[in-house]
Amino acid sequence: MKGLLLLISHNYDKLIILEKNTTLFRYYKKKFKMEKVKTFFCLCLLSLGTWQVNAQNSNFFKDRKLPLNEDGSSFVKLTFLTQIWMRSAQYNPGSTFDGTAKNSGTDIGIRRTSFQLFGQLTDRVFAYSYFGLNNFNTLSDRKAGFFVEDAYGEYAVDKVKLSLGMGLSGWNGLSRFASAAVGSQLGIDAPLYQQMTNDVTDQFSRKLSVFAKGKLGKLDYRLQMAQPMSVKKMSNYNPAITMNSSFSALPPKMQYNGYFQYQLKDQESNQVPYLAGTYLGKKKVFNIGAGFVYQKDAMWRTNEVKDTIQSNMLHIAADIFYDAPIGKDGEAISLYGNVTHSDFGKNYIRNSAVMNPINGERDPNILNGGGVAFPMNGTGTTYFVQAGYKFKDDLIGKTTLMPYASLQHSNFERLNQAMNFWDMGVTWLLSGQNSKLTLSYQNHPVYNNAGDKITTKNSLLLQYQVFFN
């Protein structure tokens, strides 16, 4: 460093600073005790010197990784993501906010903010942690703090074919977006219906589990044995057992799930469980997949004479994903289709509302509940399609646009008419996935308790995403 030499003895007993101007050193020597000066300067100057030496090395922070060995095969990596929503929405009939009737409104909230910590500690040992805060709005508990979403370690028995791991993880089965990489989604959010037990018997779709994953040629696979969390800890838990199926409050049995995808074109990374919504033309991906989720005696209900009947939970799905460049100037297309058959037991239905701005409802005849909730999951068959088109690079200055549209069409046993949830909009790619602005229009149906559709409601959402990856 310029005009400065730091000499530190092996036992750190001596700190000698040689500089043309020693005023700064004398000032700190007088202000603090000598031991604090030693510690402060040793850490700061040693770190700065290390940074200057390594910054001259082209491998330093290559791909935003901090290498732990000379060739960079061992590394640690930190990423962060923030997604902020502003929404104007029509609310379901009977909605209330702190006891006050509300027909519509505008809300602002943090959909997600999170940090990922990767650690390829040796050529066979990998650790991953994910810390986050989700769905923080005006109704949230304040100063709630971040919570652990993922925390697992894995060992590569074979570096390509087989890795085994344990912990709290998202190595879920069923379909592609059961484990969605939220920072690279095509639309404003992932198709959340594929996360079948999200916050019911897991933690934001993460499960306490052991898992196996790997690649056998072009076949990418994951298998997981998970211990479900107590349903009694879910939000708005209702202990009542009715003739409509619900999750059993008895000690849960193990859940088994898996997902298999044949990757015909470019291979996708399976370092972490989360799969991209679009690569913006950077890859040519064509995958065909299938998966399952099974748990014995996961559900219960009563019959006509009030006997308690337990039933298994079984979901199966198949999907297809195509994401590729189609032009010479950065144009790209993204297509996804999925069919899922869900068996939660007789007449099961679950309403979901992302970051719901409403906390009450006064109309007991409305099946949806208050706010923007709608029947997202249930026993029956769901079809999902999604498509997007990326315009050429530098369409608007150094930025470009990517319009998209998606539809969830569900034939649930409990409902007399199909449930159609529309989401369509356009993303302004200010700097790829690192900085983007998405405008989304959504439409959901409203049902009464008899299962009849009585109306639909609209929402307009604006999301800004900043993503360091």
Side-chain angles (χ1 to χ4, degrees):
M1 288 170 285
K2 189 174 182 181
L4 184 65
L5 176 65
L6 174 67
L7 300 175
I8 305 174
S9 68
H10 180 68
N11 59 6
Y12 296 97
D13 284 338
K14 294 182 179 181
L15 175 68
I16 303 173
I17 297 182
L18 301 177
E19 191 178 17
K20 292 181 180 179
N21 186 350
T22 60
T23 303
L24 184 63
F25 177 73
R26 291 195 186 101
Y27 169 76
Y28 279 107
K29 183 177 179 181
K30 292 177 181 178
K31 189 172 179 66
F32 303 103
K33 292 180 181 180
M34 189 59 190
E35 290 302 317
K36 291 184 178 180
V37 175
K38 287 181 180 180
T39 303
F40 177 80
F41 276 104
C42 285
L43 291 175
C44 291
L45 295 179
L46 189 59
S47 298
L48 180 61
T50 302
W51 182 87
Q52 286 184 324
V53 170
N54 284 290
Q56 297 172 5
N57 188 328
S58 62
N59 289 326
F60 185 76
F61 275 133
K62 183 179 180 181
D63 297 326
R64 300 176 178 88
K65 298 174 182 177
L66 180 64
L68 301 179
N69 56 5
E70 290 185 3
D71 63 5
S73 59
S74 296
F75 61 87
V76 292
K77 177 180 178 179
L78 179 70
T79 78
F80 64 79
L81 166 78
T82 297
Q83 296 171 336
I84 305 98
W85 278 16
M86 183 169 68
R87 170 175 50 193
S88 181
Q90 298 173 332
Y91 300 149
N92 298 333
S95 296
T96 62
F97 182 100
D98 288 346
T100 300
K102 295 278 286 184
N103 295 321
S104 62
T106 299
D107 65 291
I108 301 172
I110 298 173
R111 176 67 178 101
R112 298 179 181 92
T113 184
S114 58
F115 294 87
Q116 296 179 97
L117 183 62
F118 302 73
Q120 188 66 56
L121 306 182
T122 73
D123 60 344
R124 293 182 183 270
V125 178
F126 179 75
Y128 177 75
S129 294
Y130 188 112
F131 308 91
L133 173 69
N134 293 354
N135 301 330
F136 184 83
N137 66 3
T138 187
L139 293 168
S140 301
D141 292 334
R142 298 173 211 180
K143 305 181 182 71
F146 278 23
F147 65 93
V148 176
E149 298 197 41
D150 292 82
Y152 69 83
E154 68 178 55
Y155 180 79
V157 179
D158 181 280
K159 294 179 185 179
V160 176
K161 297 178 180 179
L162 176 62
S163 292
L164 301 175
M166 298 177 65
L168 181 65
S169 82
W171 285 104
N172 305 323
L174 189 62
S175 51
R176 182 176 185 87
F177 295 119
S179 299
V182 294
S184 62
Q185 289 307 298
L186 175 62
I188 203 164
D189 214 335
L192 298 176
Y193 78 92
Q194 295 184 16
Q195 300 170 13
M196 290 293 180
T197 58
N198 191 331
D199 254 16
V200 179
T201 59
D202 56 36
Q203 181 153 287
F204 274 100
S205 81
R206 279 75 171 186
K207 306 176 191 298
L208 293 165
S209 62
V210 295
F211 63 87
K213 55 101 171 180
K215 290 179 179 287
L216 303 174
K218 292 188 175 183
L219 179 66
D220 181 285
Y221 73 91
R222 61 181 67 187
L223 291 165
Q224 182 189 67
M225 182 180 76
Q227 182 179 25
M229 299 178 183
S230 172
V231 70
K232 294 180 180 180
K233 293 293 185 178
M234 72 174 286
S235 177
N236 301 317
Y237 168 68
N238 185 352
I241 309 176
T242 70
M243 294 181 68
N244 295 321
S245 182
S246 61
F247 278 84
S248 171
L250 295 174
K253 296 180 171 62
M254 287 291 179
Q255 182 186 112
Y256 301 90
N257 60 82
Y259 181 55
F260 310 86
Q261 53 178 339
Y262 194 77
Q263 302 179 343
L264 288 91
K265 298 293 185 181
D266 291 349
Q267 298 295 291
E268 294 186 274
S269 171
N270 67 347
Q271 184 179 65
V272 296
Y274 305 109
L275 295 167
T278 176
Y279 290 99
L280 303 179
K282 301 296 190 296
K283 280 179 172 285
K284 188 173 185 179
V285 177
F286 184 27
N287 296 349
I288 298 174
F292 71 95
V293 177
Y294 172 77
Q295 183 182 334
K296 183 177 176 57
D297 296 334
M299 318 301 295
W300 66 6
R301 62 180 177 87
T302 61
N303 60 14
E304 290 78 3
V305 294
K306 304 301 181 182
D307 295 326
T308 298
I309 299 172
Q310 289 187 279
S311 61
N312 303 331
M313 181 179 71
L314 174 64
H315 314 306
I316 55 175
D319 56 13
I320 186 168
F321 177 68
Y322 183 75
D323 192 84
I326 59 171
K328 297 181 180 180
D329 298 317
E331 300 94 337
I333 191 170
S334 183
L335 301 170
Y336 177 73
N338 172 281
V339 57
T340 299
H341 180 73
S342 305
D343 186 356
F344 290 98
K346 183 179 179 180
N347 282 335
Y348 177 86
I349 203 82
R350 185 168 79 252
N351 296 306
S352 296
V354 175
M355 201 160 57
N356 202 353
I358 289 297
N359 61 354
E361 51 89 20
R362 289 177 174 172
D363 191 339
N365 295 316
I366 299 300
L367 178 65
N368 294 46
V372 295
F374 69 94
M376 182 182 290
N377 293 95
T379 294
T381 301
T382 291
Y383 303 90
F384 180 82
V385 290
Q386 176 178 272
Y389 174 78
K390 177 180 171 287
F391 287 99
K392 68 176 184 178
D393 294 334
D394 303 334
L395 178 70
I396 307 171
K398 295 295 183 181
T399 71
T400 190
L401 299 174
M402 189 167 192
Y404 73 93
S406 67
L407 169 64
Q408 177 187 343
H409 175 84
S410 298
N411 294 307
F412 292 141
E413 188 178 88
R414 177 81 176 273
L415 306 179
N416 297 324
Q417 292 87 30
M419 196 292 299
N420 291 315
F421 173 67
W422 291 92
D423 178 12
M424 57 191 74
V426 60
T427 296
W428 187 7
L429 297 164
L430 303 169
S431 180
Q433 304 284 16
N434 299 115
S435 175
K436 66 180 184 180
L437 193 68
T438 301
L439 180 65
S440 166
Y441 163 77
Q442 296 181 349
N443 176 272
H444 74 262
V446 179
Y447 294 85
N448 61 23
N449 285 325
D452 297 320
K453 186 172 78 170
I454 58 175
T455 187
T456 62
K457 296 295 180 180
N458 303 307
S459 299
L460 193 64
L461 298 89
L462 185 68
Q463 173 183 273
Y464 179 62
Q465 171 176 299
V466 58
F467 186 23
F468 176 81
N469 68 332

